[in-house]
Amino acid sequence: AVINQCIFSYVDQYRDTIRHGFDYNHFRLNIDEGQLRNFLILGDTIEFDVATLLVQDEKTNFRIKQLSTFFRISQASMEFLGLDLQAGESTIADTVIFTYNSQLDLQEFVDKVRIHANLNNTTIYPKDLELFARGTEKIGQPVKLKGTFNGRIRKFKFTDMEAAIGNSRLLGALDMDGLPDINETFIILNLRNSQLEFEDFRFLFNEKIMSRLRPFDKFDLNGQFLGYPTDFVATGDFQGNLGRIKSDINFKVNEEDIDRSLYTGRLTMINFDLGAYFNDTLTFQKVNLDGRISGSGLTQETANFRL
């Protein structure tokens, strides 16, 4: 089948209009061109090969520039195999499978639809993602992904992970439970042979918190992040421009006054330039230590701890 200059519209009269981004309940697609092969209907299953599909959403002007895949849909799943999708500025490949109890679950995608995705050569631009998950545009930079995704949007695991954003490269595994509210999301992030620059993750923190993280600049790390963005345990080995830190620290962020945040746990510093961090090289120089620390405060004026 060859489709040219067609319109596909969908209206669910029982559901409200989504005013920001893509309206799943009411949309109108302009199909410039489509080529389908090996079309089959068997029971509740429809499948076919998509050789090419060029589509634009009328409301948002979001454009699918190219789509080729083997597509199958039933009351149990929706499958995109051998996927090559170029949508907006983003690229997604090569396998995405949605499973559910019935197609009605697609109306509550975040909570009810399970996703299995094998990602390779995938790049997601936040402005594209914003149309489908409001609030993600603040990520600010494209995210390159490789690995295996399993779970729901609200609770998922991303294994064999290779993720790149800005100057950061993260290798390992990621578990998240609680999206789309990032502040209420429990995170387990295991990293190896990775590089992290806090500036690439400024969308997670307010400016007061960033002012205390920026001096670390970029560092190499092996370790684990366990907890919420403002209450977490950081375990690992961090090597950066200020020196080397080994930690097993519970850190509770005071969002109203970052400099009075609480911390407790095991801490090792190797040639750590405390003077550069405090911006006071006359009083503080490089430090070597190994011990337990408990207290609060991140500046010379607010520091109040027992080491």
Side-chain angles (χ1 to χ4, degrees):
V2 177
I3 304 170
N4 288 302
Q5 302 302 314
C6 295
I7 294 174
F8 176 84
S9 61
Y10 175 86
V11 176
D12 186 341
Q13 60 184 328
Y14 299 106
R15 299 182 71 89
D16 293 335
T17 297
I18 299 173
R19 301 194 178 279
H20 301 281
F22 183 76
D23 185 356
Y24 300 93
N25 303 321
H26 317 85
F27 58 85
R28 183 179 171 95
L29 305 178
N30 296 319
I31 304 174
D32 292 335
E33 180 185 351
Q35 295 182 20
L36 313 179
R37 298 191 183 100
N38 301 322
F39 195 94
L40 172 67
I41 297 178
L42 182 63
D44 70 349
T45 301
I46 301 173
E47 66 181 43
F48 49 82
D49 285 317
V50 181
T52 185
L53 188 64
L54 310 178
V55 180
Q56 184 170 10
D57 177 48
E58 205 168 82
K59 174 190 170 187
T60 63
N61 291 323
F62 183 70
R63 190 171 186 85
I64 295 178
K65 300 175 181 178
Q66 168 61 13
L67 170 62
S68 60
T69 186
F70 174 77
F71 176 76
R72 179 187 293 124
I73 187 171
S74 68
Q75 284 296 330
S77 67
M78 182 187 299
E79 304 175 30
F80 299 85
L81 309 179
L83 175 66
D84 179 11
L85 171 63
Q86 300 173 35
E89 300 299 321
S90 303
T91 302
I92 299 176
D94 58 302
T95 300
V96 178
I97 300 173
F98 304 119
T99 58
Y100 36 76
N101 295 324
S102 78
Q103 290 179 10
L104 292 175
D105 288 348
L106 292 170
Q107 298 177 353
E108 299 180 56
F109 190 89
V110 170
D111 296 311
K112 292 188 176 182
V113 176
R114 297 173 296 278
I115 304 170
H116 168 76
N118 183 48
L119 301 179
N120 191 19
N121 297 323
T122 293
T123 303
I124 306 294
Y125 279 75
K127 67 177 182 180
D128 295 334
L129 191 59
E130 177 74 14
L131 296 174
F132 305 94
R134 193 177 181 192
T136 52
E137 190 170 16
K138 63 183 181 181
I139 294 173
Q141 302 181 82
V143 181
K144 296 181 179 180
L145 297 171
K146 183 179 180 181
T148 302
F149 182 106
N150 284 293
R152 299 175 174 86
I153 294 295
R154 184 171 296 280
K155 183 178 181 180
F156 67 83
K157 293 184 178 182
F158 190 30
T159 55
D160 298 323
M161 177 184 72
E162 296 182 25
I165 176 172
N167 294 317
S168 299
R169 301 290 182 273
L170 306 179
L171 307 178
L174 172 66
D175 289 28
M176 300 186 77
D177 184 357
L179 288 174
D181 187 348
I182 187 64
N183 291 323
E184 297 298 324
T185 297
F186 189 79
I187 303 168
I188 304 175
L189 177 61
N190 292 292
L191 297 175
R192 52 179 172 74
N193 301 324
S194 299
Q195 297 82 43
L196 187 146
E197 186 171 317
F198 277 115
E199 194 64 34
D200 295 327
F201 296 89
R202 60 186 179 274
F203 60 89
L204 292 175
F205 310 105
N206 62 38
E207 184 55 35
K208 288 183 178 180
I209 296 175
M210 280 303 303
S211 68
R212 292 291 164 245
L213 296 176
R214 282 195 184 97
F216 290 103
D217 194 25
K218 184 177 181 178
F219 52 84
D220 300 326
L221 74 150
N222 292 278
Q224 182 186 70
F225 177 102
L226 178 68
Y228 299 91
T230 57
D231 185 356
F232 58 86
V233 174
T235 305
D237 191 341
F238 310 87
Q239 177 71 54
N241 64 319
L242 295 182
R244 186 178 179 185
I245 297 176
K246 294 182 179 180
S247 74
D248 187 359
I249 296 285
N250 177 223
F251 196 85
K252 298 181 184 295
V253 177
N254 185 325
E255 295 186 80
E256 295 182 358
D257 187 353
I258 177 63
D259 292 327
R260 298 190 182 278
S261 297
L262 304 174
Y263 42 81
T264 182
R266 189 82 191 180
L267 180 66
T268 300
M269 288 183 171
I270 304 170
N271 288 327
F272 186 80
D273 197 338
L274 202 61
Y277 179 78
F278 282 150
N279 196 27
D280 182 359
T281 54
L282 293 178
T283 306
F284 303 98
Q285 297 180 24
K286 291 187 177 181
V287 173
N288 289 279
L289 67 86
D290 181 28
R292 297 193 62 84
I293 190 169
S294 179
S296 64
L298 298 177
T299 66
Q300 182 179 351
E301 293 76 22
T302 61
N304 180 18
F305 60 83
R306 179 177 179 85
L307 180 64

